[in-house]
Amino acid sequence: MQQSEKTLIWIGSSKKDLIVFPEDVKNVFAYALHLAQHGEKHLDAKPLKGFGGAKTLEVVEDHQGGTYRAVYTVKFEGYVYVLHCFQKKSKKGIATPKPDMDKIRARLKDAELLHQELMR
């Protein structure tokens, strides 16, 4: 059975941030989001730690010595919300830096409020 395409919604500056990424990185993230819109998951999409479950996902792509990340949620029926796209600048470990985690949490709350509005 064909699943209908979920609506893609960009939260905050996530789309503007993604647009400046290298073309190869944009292509990987665009494909991951396309799959999410169709109820599928990119091979590189992993649940983001600290968000209790597999509904908030992160795709990581390395490009010419830089690491880029896109975080989105499929938590809300019928929608994919892109929460944050960024280049990881920290050289300490692979963990997502706290300021980025705080931004993701805040944008997830924004997505929840927006979703409630859309469902009225």
Side-chain angles (χ1 to χ4, degrees), residues 41-118:
K41 188 172 83 99
H42 191 278
L43 288 173
D44 294 332
K46 307 275 188 267
L48 185 60
K49 289 180 170 67
F51 285 83
K55 299 278 186 188
T56 301
L57 299 131
E58 175 180 51
V59 180
V60 179
E61 182 68 14
D62 292 323
H63 181 76
Q64 296 182 349
T67 300
Y68 298 83
R69 297 179 181 210
V71 178
Y72 63 93
T73 188
V74 293
K75 180 178 178 179
F76 308 105
E77 188 173 340
Y79 292 86
V80 175
Y81 291 90
V82 184
L83 303 174
H84 192 28
C85 297
F86 62 104
Q87 181 177 6
K88 184 175 179 286
K89 304 235 191 268
S90 172
K91 303 296 181 206
K92 299 177 188 171
I94 61 169
T96 303
K98 184 180 182 329
D100 290 302
M101 291 297 281
D102 291 344
K103 185 176 280 191
I104 293 164
R105 281 190 185 87
R107 289 185 177 175
L108 184 57
K109 287 178 186 172
D110 292 345
E112 190 163 3
L113 292 172
L114 177 58
H115 190 73
Q116 289 171 359
E117 287 293 316
L118 292 171

Side-chain angles (χ1 to χ4, degrees), residues 6-75:
K6 296 177 183 178
T7 302
L8 186 66
I9 296 182
W10 302 86
I11 302 296
S13 63
S14 57
K15 186 173 187 177
K16 181 181 73 151
D17 297 335
L18 177 66
I19 287 172
V20 300
F21 288 177
E23 206 60 39
D24 292 345
V25 174
K26 286 192 284 191
N27 290 340
V28 170
F29 292 163
Y31 182 59
L33 293 171
H34 171 79
L35 289 174
Q37 285 183 274
H38 293 275
E40 299 177 41
K41 188 172 83 99
H42 191 278
L43 288 173
D44 294 332
K46 307 275 188 267
L48 185 60
K49 289 180 170 67
F51 285 83
K55 299 278 186 188
T56 301
L57 299 131
E58 175 180 51
V59 180
V60 179
E61 182 68 14
D62 292 323
H63 181 76
Q64 296 182 349
T67 300
Y68 298 83
R69 297 179 181 210
V71 178
Y72 63 93
T73 188
V74 293
K75 180 178 178 179

